[in-house]
Amino acid sequence: MPLHVERVSHRYGPVAALDSIDLDIADGETVALIGPSGCGKSTLLGILGGLLRPSAGRVTLSGALPADSLNPFTYVFQDFALLPWRTVEANVALALEHRVNAAERRERVAAALALTSLADFASAYPKQLSGGMRQRVGIARALVVRPAVLLLDEPLSALDAQTRELLMEDLLRIWSREKSTRVYVTHNLEEAARLADRVVVLSRRPGRIREIVRIDAPVSDRAAIIPDMQRKLWALIRDEAATADREVQDV
Amino acid sequence: MSERQPIPFRGGGFAPAPRRVLPWLVFAVLIALWQAASNTGLLPPLFMPSPLSVVKALVALWQDGTLVGHVTASLGRIVPGWLIGTAAGLAVGLAMGIFSAARAAGIPIVSALFPIPKIALLPLLILWFGIGEPSKIATIALGVFFPTTISAYTACDSVPRNLIRMGQSFGLPARDIVAKILLPGAMPGILAGFRISASVALLLVVAAEMIGAQQGIGAFVLTAGSLMQTDQLLAGVVMLSLLGLLIGWGLGMVERAMLKWR
Ligand SMILES: Nc1ncnc2c1ncn2[C@@H]1O[C@H](COP(=O)(O)OP(=O)(O)OP(=O)(O)O)[C@@H](O)[C@H]1O
Ligand SMILES: [Mg+2]
């Protein structure tokens, strides 16, 4: 689903978070959003998903929604945002309950759990799961509605390095099958270099687009170029991050 | 390094560990000391009867049906009073937790009326409802209403905002966000509030019964005191303690059943 960000700015009271963002995202594209802490990445994602009203500018969609999509925009959250009183299965079913009958719901939930290797934990509660498993539940919950646009806000940053690696492999495997447009916010340059078709580098606050880096190699065949790409992204972001860091300390 | 020395352990303590015997032992020792003081005449029986005579009084009063009558009378006030106060408090408190307008309207009133000791309103309520049951029930309901209101809306505030954002981002209708996210998330706080309101109800029933009632544990304790029957007086107090324990145990069961996920 093509997405158009047109001159979007956002302020929180006196704080300018985003400044005049223009960005077109193609259907089926994966865009990574990187930038120093506090530059407005989550804000932009919130505006994309309709959770925040931008102070100026607008976000539009073009084209028709896929027929089987129940919720055009869904999120995967950094802190998982699971309901602790619901089992894995019930968490995944949450967004289906008010629009899909029980039989189809069971079918969709089972498929999403199988895709995320959670079938054996369907009736576990979140507190019984490891961080990686919890985020798998978050991913299953987002996929079960067949989103046209998947918005991920640092989905792996609450996880340890090994779990993150495993989950990244899972995401690549799932995404090779599920076609959707994806916006992926991250601090991790390797994640950006491995998962994205384009990497949007934002400046420090107020976030402006500093550069857009296209990665042409197919996602399945990137091992060779990832280190170079990481270096390139780091060069773009280093000064911004250092300055942003000092600014935060000044406050 | 020539000699190997063990590293001294200093990580002990500061972690409450359950002890099985100690709690009962303390209880038993205190009662034994009390009995001993009574036996030796250190405690005059009129002012502080021995534990044994309190137990005897308790058994006798229970067997001849006196206590049963008073407990029934008290429960007949606590239960409807608590239910009315809780229902109204939940309705108002949840409205305040969900709607900004209800909160803006409610907070000044609730803050102003909450600190009033509700027993002070009993005379007014007697004027309104007469000396009978309704004025006592109304006092309890009022006393229960305010803490329930406050615990209900603070429990709504304690539901993590990101869970509500999550519900919105998945397109849940507002009704579902309330029923499936806000209410279950607020449940622990609401149930914790029940403990407070139950103890308020117990306090108020005794106070109200001391002011104007023939039946009820409060009335019984007051009469026993004025007749200097201190063993009966203490039997009534022990009954109150048992009642409080029973209510707390019941609420614990409800909590465990409803909050299995914690
Ligand atoms: N609700 C809010 N009220 C006021 N200021 C806010 C609010 N949310 C965010 N901000 C500020 O706006 C700026 C952008 O925030 P945002 O969360 O979008 O940044 P981010 O790039 O996602 O940061 P991080 O990398 O730390 O997640 C930050 O400086 C933040 O302090
Ligand atoms: Mg963020």
Side-chain angles (χ1 to χ4, degrees):
Chain A
M1 183 115 250
L3 214 63
H4 315 282
V5 181
E6 301 170 44
R7 303 196 63 77
V8 162
S9 301
H10 194 73
R11 308 183 66 87
Y12 293 101
V15 178
L18 286 173
D19 184 22
S20 204
I21 303 285
D22 270 303
L23 181 65
D24 281 315
I25 300 172
D27 190 24
E29 186 181 30
T30 303
V31 169
L33 219 50
I34 65 172
S37 201
C39 75
K41 303 181 293 292
S42 299
T43 304
L44 182 53
L45 216 57
I47 292 170
L48 285 178
L51 293 181
L52 277 176
R53 217 189 284 280
S55 313
R58 60 176 193 161
V59 178
T60 53
L61 283 167
S62 54
L65 277 176
D68 64 346
S69 175
L70 292 176
N71 194 34
F73 295 87
T74 43
Y75 275 88
V76 176
F77 299 89
Q78 175 176 2
D79 58 5
F80 321 134
L82 302 179
L83 300 180
W85 52 86
R86 282 183 169 233
T87 61
V88 165
E89 200 168 24
N91 263 289
V92 174
L94 176 72
L96 301 178
E97 285 164 1
H98 63 288
R99 44 193 158 198
V100 168
N101 67 40
E104 185 183 349
R105 198 155 73 216
R106 260 196 303 280
E107 203 174 295
R108 279 196 186 226
V109 169
L113 292 182
L115 196 64
T116 45
S117 329
L118 282 168
D120 293 344
F121 302 90
S123 44
Y125 283 93
K127 70 157 186 209
Q128 299 170 294
L129 304 179
S130 68
M133 300 256 259
R134 286 182 210 179
Q135 191 56 299
R136 269 179 229 275
V137 180
I139 293 168
R141 179 179 60 188
L143 293 177
V144 83
V145 291
R146 314 255 158 81
V149 181
L150 186 57
L151 303 166
L152 305 102
D153 195 351
E154 306 192 36
L156 309 185
S157 33
L159 307 175
D160 65 81
Q162 288 156 23
T163 311
R164 196 182 311 166
E165 185 64 34
L166 287 173
L167 229 62
M168 221 183 324
E169 286 170 11
D170 280 336
L171 280 180
L172 284 170
R173 175 176 56 81
I174 293 166
W175 290 354
S176 68
R177 293 196 239 160
E178 296 260 327
K179 236 19 221 166
S180 60
T181 307
R182 295 176 280 258
V183 183
Y184 189 103
V185 169
T186 179
H187 273 119
N188 184 309
L189 303 182
E190 190 201 340
E191 284 171 31
R194 268 175 76 175
L195 299 170
D197 301 312
R198 278 192 300 161
V199 182
V200 174
V201 183
L202 292 180
S203 69
R204 66 179 185 275
R205 202 183 71 210
R208 297 189 183 90
I209 293 186
R210 165 138 195 212
E211 190 146 334
I212 298 180
V213 179
R214 178 173 288 285
I215 309 178
D216 285 318
V219 167
S220 52
D221 185 26
R222 282 213 179 147
I225 63 155
I226 285 173
D228 271 347
M229 190 53 68
Q230 261 180 272
R231 259 193 296 282
K232 179 171 177 185
L233 294 174
W234 178 235
L236 283 169
I237 214 173
R238 188 182 183 287
D239 295 340
E240 301 281 351
T243 315
D245 187 41
R246 279 196 294 278
E247 276 172 0
V248 172
Q249 284 171 7
D250 283 348
V251 169
Chain B
M1 292 299 278
S2 50
E3 245 180 89
R4 298 188 181 192
Q5 289 191 342
I7 296 164
F9 175 70
R10 46 200 167 172
F14 302 102
R19 296 277 170 89
R20 290 202 159 276
V21 188
L22 194 60
W24 298 104
L25 196 67
V26 172
F27 206 59
V29 165
L30 281 178
I31 291 193
L33 282 178
W34 176 8
Q35 182 69 48
S38 296
N39 288 350
T40 55
L42 214 62
L43 289 176
L46 182 58
F47 293 108
M48 195 63 191
S50 74
L52 210 60
S53 54
V54 172
V55 171
K56 274 186 194 149
L58 194 61
V59 172
L61 288 167
W62 189 264
Q63 279 171 347
D64 71 8
T66 316
L67 264 186
V68 181
H70 291 298
V71 169
T72 316
S74 292
L75 283 178
R77 294 162 187 144
I78 293 181
V79 172
W82 187 84
L83 286 177
I84 295 170
T86 297
L90 284 182
V92 173
L94 291 175
M96 284 168 71
I98 297 168
F99 304 108
S100 311
R103 165 161 319 201
I107 282 193
I109 302 177
V110 169
S111 322
L113 300 184
F114 173 57
I116 300 175
K118 301 304 170 297
I119 195 68
L121 295 175
L122 182 62
L124 183 66
L125 293 169
I126 290 177
L127 285 180
W128 290 358
F129 298 116
I131 188 84
E133 296 304 296
S135 58
K136 299 183 187 65
I137 292 174
T139 308
I140 295 170
L142 262 180
V144 165
F145 171 81
F146 288 97
T148 306
T149 304
I150 292 174
S151 69
Y153 81 74
T154 47
C156 288
D157 291 353
S158 73
V159 178
R161 289 300 102 174
N162 67 334
L163 292 184
I164 292 176
R165 286 272 168 282
M166 180 276 293
Q168 292 175 322
S169 78
F170 280 90
L172 298 200
R175 171 173 43 86
D176 280 24
I177 291 182
V178 170
K180 295 174 181 173
I181 300 178
L182 198 67
L183 287 184
M187 202 44 85
I190 291 174
L191 290 178
F194 283 3
R195 284 184 185 278
I196 296 171
S197 65
S199 67
V200 169
L202 202 58
L203 181 104
L204 285 176
V205 80
V206 171
E209 286 168 351
M210 284 182 165
I211 290 174
Q214 306 302 315
Q215 285 285 305
I217 308 185
F220 172 76
V221 167
L222 190 72
T223 318
S226 53
L227 297 176
M228 305 256 230
Q229 294 165 335
T230 36
D231 53 342
Q232 300 207 352
L233 188 156
L234 282 185
V237 171
V238 169
M239 200 59 230
L240 283 172
S241 155
L242 292 178
L243 206 58
L245 282 175
L246 202 70
I247 292 173
W249 174 79
L251 285 173
M253 298 269 283
V254 172
E255 276 182 1
R256 268 192 298 283
M258 293 191 70
L259 307 177
K260 276 199 299 282
W261 49 272
R262 288 217 292 196

